[in-house]
Amino acid sequence: MNQDEMKRAVAIAAVEMILPKLERQSIIGVGTGSTANFFIDALAKHRDEFAGAVASSEATAARLRQHDIEVYDLNSVSQLEFYIDGADEFDNGFNLIKGGGAALTREKIVAAVAKKFICIVDETKKVDVLGRFPLPIEVIPMARSYVGRQLAALEGQPAYREGVVTDNGNIIIDLHDVEILDPKVFERHLNNIVGVVTNGLFANRGADVILMGTPQGVQTLKRD
Ligand code: 5RP
């Protein structure tokens, strides 16, 4: 199985996992990226079995609508049973790095509302210590240089992601070469820098279930 085949397999496994629990009025949260796109495509044939979805990005909203899946504003929804999304990296503690597609802030908001976060990844994303993948940080544009200096004083190498504007009108700084030994503390620390909207560590609200694609098939990892 190549990486795309593993992504498709975990996407189908996620649909199979949530379908028995969906009711006609259920609304689910849907993430962003190529694995999330496989999930949307697999979900489409069941669109009459649930009410619709909250999207974590404009791109995801567009893809949901292409499949005639109703897209809801999060403010009109009091509860989401599931949030299904990919990740750029994950560790044994169900901590994640997300934001490779620059959708981290909306992803984090939708994940916060959902009762259960099912993360769909292939095995290439697994690490012992987070930080091999540059950590995305969404920043208010006028704070770019200030936040860059604050990050440089920590550890790692901040790099402005040229040409990227988030759905919220902000910029992304990627923090390279950082070993994240305590993801929960580092997540909170970065969020305390003025001008940071949020960062791509999903540790204080990590995944509840990880569906990991391997060449041998999909493994289901659950928190104890
Ligand atoms: C987007 C994300 C994605 O979940 C992450 O980048 C993984 O993407 P892909 O499924 O394409 O590998 O966080 O902001």
Side-chain angles (χ1 to χ4, degrees):
M1 256 199 231
N2 64 30
Q3 194 178 18
D4 268 357
E5 287 165 342
M6 289 191 280
K7 288 182 179 190
R8 189 179 290 107
V10 290
I12 291 168
V15 171
E16 286 168 357
M17 180 172 268
I18 66 168
L19 262 188
K21 307 208 170 87
L22 290 185
E23 295 171 357
R24 296 300 281 246
Q25 71 275 15
S26 301
I27 299 172
I28 62 169
V30 181
T32 298
S34 57
T35 320
N37 283 344
F38 282 124
F39 171 76
I40 295 167
D41 296 348
L43 187 67
K45 58 175 91 68
H46 304 282
R47 64 173 163 262
D48 297 332
E49 296 166 49
F50 64 104
V54 170
S56 64
S57 64
E58 299 300 335
T60 289
R63 198 173 186 104
L64 288 163
R65 288 194 184 103
Q66 275 166 17
H67 285 297
D68 290 328
I69 296 173
E70 178 98 27
V71 176
Y72 287 82
D73 182 325
L74 185 60
N75 292 310
S76 68
V77 172
S78 57
Q79 175 166 304
L80 295 172
E81 209 59 42
F82 299 104
Y83 178 60
I84 299 91
D85 197 0
D88 298 299
E89 234 176 52
F90 69 98
D91 69 10
N92 282 327
F94 292 69
N95 305 299
L96 316 172
I97 287 183
K98 292 186 44 54
L104 59 159
T105 300
R106 294 190 188 192
E107 291 173 340
K108 203 175 265 200
I109 294 167
V110 184
V113 175
K115 280 203 210 156
K116 189 176 271 190
F117 179 176
I118 302 171
C119 186
I120 47 178
V121 281
D122 62 82
E123 64 175 8
T124 64
K125 311 275 184 77
K126 187 166 183 342
V127 293
D128 290 329
V129 178
L130 295 176
R132 192 179 63 194
F133 190 91
L135 176 64
I137 301 170
E138 179 162 354
V139 175
I140 301 284
M142 74 171 288
R144 186 182 85 201
S145 300
Y146 170 74
V147 171
R149 288 195 295 275
Q150 297 301 112
L151 292 173
L154 293 172
E155 56 170 321
Q157 306 296 324
Y160 170 48
R161 205 186 290 180
E162 294 277 352
V164 171
V165 178
T166 71
D167 285 348
N168 312 307
N170 298 313
I171 58 119
I172 298 286
I173 296 178
D174 293 303
L175 190 58
H176 293 251
D177 305 326
V178 62
E179 244 197 345
I180 304 170
L181 298 173
D182 192 338
K184 285 191 174 68
V185 169
F186 199 54
E187 181 182 2
R188 284 196 291 262
H189 185 71
L190 291 175
N191 283 345
N192 272 339
I193 299 172
V194 173
V196 167
V197 177
T198 196
N199 68 82
L201 275 171
F202 285 55
N204 291 287
R205 201 285 179 256
D208 298 303
V209 177
I210 295 179
L211 296 175
M212 180 177 74
T214 76
Q216 292 74 39
V218 175
Q219 285 181 25
T220 304
L221 313 173
K222 289 186 181 162
R223 277 179 190 274
D224 296 332

